[in-house]
Amino acid sequence: MSPLGSIETPKEGVLSEHVLLPSDQGPLEGWLAYDAEATHGDGVLLLSPHPNFAGTMDNNVIRELAASLSASGFIVLRFNYPGIGASRLLVPEGVSALDYWDTVEREQRFDEAIRPSLTALRFLESSLGGFIDRIHLVGYSY
């Protein structure tokens, strides 16, 4: 895992910044990618697959989408759901993140995925509101 605040260059002219998004359960881990020369543009919030089904912001499809969209001028945020990567999840002792997300899927409590998605959307709006014209949501395999 890259240290917080680190910068990558996934494609020529694109910067990708490791960020933490504040949430009620603790921070969510994310990467913000953008054209280094851009002054404004549309934002894209990438929603990873379900955490029990390879759902991570480092999924190969999500990473490639982030790189391609940011190289095309979009400001892109991808993030990990609670309990995945460095994203915090508060669960009782003895309960793993895998158990938690398995229960969420079995009981179809989709609000458990909507809340962190709204947190990421608010982060994108509040952090970059002056630079973003519109925000598009792109989901993959949830």
Side-chain angles (χ1 to χ4, degrees):
M1 177 172 62
S2 300
L4 181 62
S6 65
I7 304 278
E8 294 180 345
T9 52
K11 293 199 177 199
E12 185 70 31
V14 172
L15 296 177
S16 184
E17 185 177 346
H18 194 209
V19 295
L20 290 179
L21 295 59
S23 82
D24 57 351
Q25 287 207 21
L28 298 176
E29 176 184 27
W31 279 94
L32 186 64
Y34 50 91
D35 183 315
E37 303 293 320
T39 57
H40 75 281
D42 281 7
V44 175
L45 176 60
L46 291 178
L47 305 169
S48 303
H50 192 291
N52 272 12
F53 307 110
T56 169
M57 69 176 176
D58 292 322
N59 173 281
N60 62 334
V61 173
I62 295 296
R63 282 183 72 101
E64 186 54 36
L65 276 170
S68 295
L69 288 168
S70 57
S72 297
F74 291 93
I75 300 165
V76 181
L77 176 63
R78 59 190 169 99
F79 70 98
N80 276 327
Y81 288 103
I84 307 303
S87 289
R88 182 111 185 253
L89 175 66
L90 300 175
V91 293
E93 191 170 325
V95 176
S96 71
L98 185 61
D99 293 336
Y100 169 82
W101 284 107
D102 185 52
T103 301
V104 165
E105 175 65 21
R106 193 173 51 258
E107 295 175 1
Q108 297 196 358
R109 296 186 341 233
F110 300 117
D111 59 316
E112 299 294 326
I114 292 171
R115 276 198 311 270
S117 301
L118 285 174
T119 296
L121 178 62
R122 286 186 196 111
F123 175 86
L124 198 53
E125 286 176 322
S126 66
S127 299
L128 300 168
F131 299 102
I132 295 178
D133 298 323
R134 289 176 294 219
I135 297 176
H136 308 271
L137 302 178
V138 178
Y140 168 65
S141 185
Y142 198 96

